[in-house]
Amino acid sequence: MPSTEKKELFITWVRQTVGSPSRRGLSASVCVLAGCFLWLYWGSLANLVQHWETEPEYSHGYFIPLVSFAWLWYRRTDFVEIDISPSWLGLAFLGVTGGMCLFAEFFYYAYFQTVSLLVCLAGLAVLLAGWRFLLLGWPAIAFLFLMIPLPARLAGMLSHPLQTMTTRASTYVLQTIGLPAVAEGNIVTLKSAEIGIVEACSGLRMLVFFFAASAAVAMFSKRVS
């Protein structure tokens, strides 16, 4: 379908959505559920913002929701062609969300509370618009996972090998240019000094950022047949 026809179809769909009584009821339901969503996850969202502000590895977190919304707008004409058919099966996702929240509260594991946010969004999509809507829009929800900080244990498991790799690479470069460098753990020993490769220099920050950037580029790229 040409882009001009898709734009006209999108405008017509918006007008019908605003003008139809059933659609207005659906819009009211969306507003109510959005309010409940914010009430349930306000603490988790505040914690996310705090992580973005204090942890350099996740300073890109502010842009992740913006990219997801931009992708939904980029594919808006495709969503118009889908028949909105709300399904009660979305309650199953919400049930899983509740279970994850209870697990997080009982075991004091906030990571599950935050991840349940994505499951909740998937459940709301099915509940309000149907499975076809979720099948088309799942990349926007999955991309939000990149804004959630990794658990401390997993981050440590990734950071320590990267520190070792950085130490060995730095030592090799110094030896190549003729300096007497020796690697001892995460410390590079020179003739007159010692250089410590701290966790912030492990490269995890750049790895996470490049992964997010690559995923964003893949989302907006058109498939070539």
Side-chain angles (χ1 to χ4, degrees):
M1 182 182 296
S3 58
T4 304
E5 295 182 6
K6 284 189 174 183
K7 290 180 180 178
E8 293 178 354
L9 181 60
F10 177 72
I11 294 174
T12 303
W13 179 79
V14 171
R15 290 175 178 173
Q16 292 176 350
T17 300
V18 174
S20 172
S22 60
R23 298 294 185 180
R24 286 199 297 267
L26 179 61
S27 300
S29 300
V30 170
C31 293
V32 172
L33 291 175
C36 295
F37 177 84
L38 290 176
W39 174 79
L40 179 62
Y41 286 104
W42 184 257
S44 298
L45 294 174
N47 288 334
L48 278 178
V49 173
Q50 184 178 4
H51 280 292
W52 300 342
E53 292 180 351
T54 58
E55 298 181 16
E57 293 86 354
Y58 298 99
S59 58
H60 64 280
Y62 289 101
F63 301 98
I64 299 298
L66 297 178
V67 173
S68 292
F69 282 120
W71 183 83
L72 290 174
W73 179 256
Y74 177 72
R75 298 291 301 272
R76 63 190 183 279
T77 52
D78 296 329
F79 286 98
V80 172
E81 300 175 358
I82 296 177
D83 294 330
I84 295 180
S85 54
S87 174
W88 291 108
L89 292 176
L91 294 176
F93 284 88
L94 299 182
V96 173
T97 300
M100 295 178 69
C101 291
L102 291 175
F103 179 88
E105 289 293 332
F106 186 79
F107 291 101
Y108 302 100
Y109 201 53
Y111 181 74
F112 272 86
Q113 171 80 17
T114 308
V115 173
S116 69
L117 183 151
L118 308 183
V119 182
C120 183
L121 289 176
L124 293 177
V126 176
L127 185 64
L128 295 173
W131 283 101
R132 295 187 61 188
F133 189 90
L134 178 61
L135 290 176
L136 180 60
W138 71 266
I141 298 176
F143 188 72
L144 293 176
F145 183 80
L146 297 177
M147 72 180 182
I148 302 175
L150 296 173
R153 180 176 297 181
L154 180 57
M157 291 173 60
L158 294 174
S159 179
H160 293 314
L162 289 173
Q163 278 182 270
T164 302
M165 185 184 303
T166 303
T167 303
R168 292 178 179 176
S170 301
T171 303
Y172 178 78
V173 171
L174 292 172
Q175 292 174 349
T176 301
I177 62 178
L179 295 176
V182 178
E184 297 179 355
N186 292 326
I187 297 177
V188 180
T189 303
L190 299 173
K191 185 176 182 180
S192 58
E194 291 184 348
I195 303 175
I197 307 299
V198 297
E199 188 174 350
C201 300
S202 65
L204 182 60
R205 177 183 181 183
M206 297 302 298
L207 180 64
V208 173
F209 173 78
F210 281 128
F211 186 82
S214 301
V217 171
M219 287 173 61
F220 286 92
S221 299
K222 292 185 178 180
R223 182 180 298 178
V224 179
S225 57

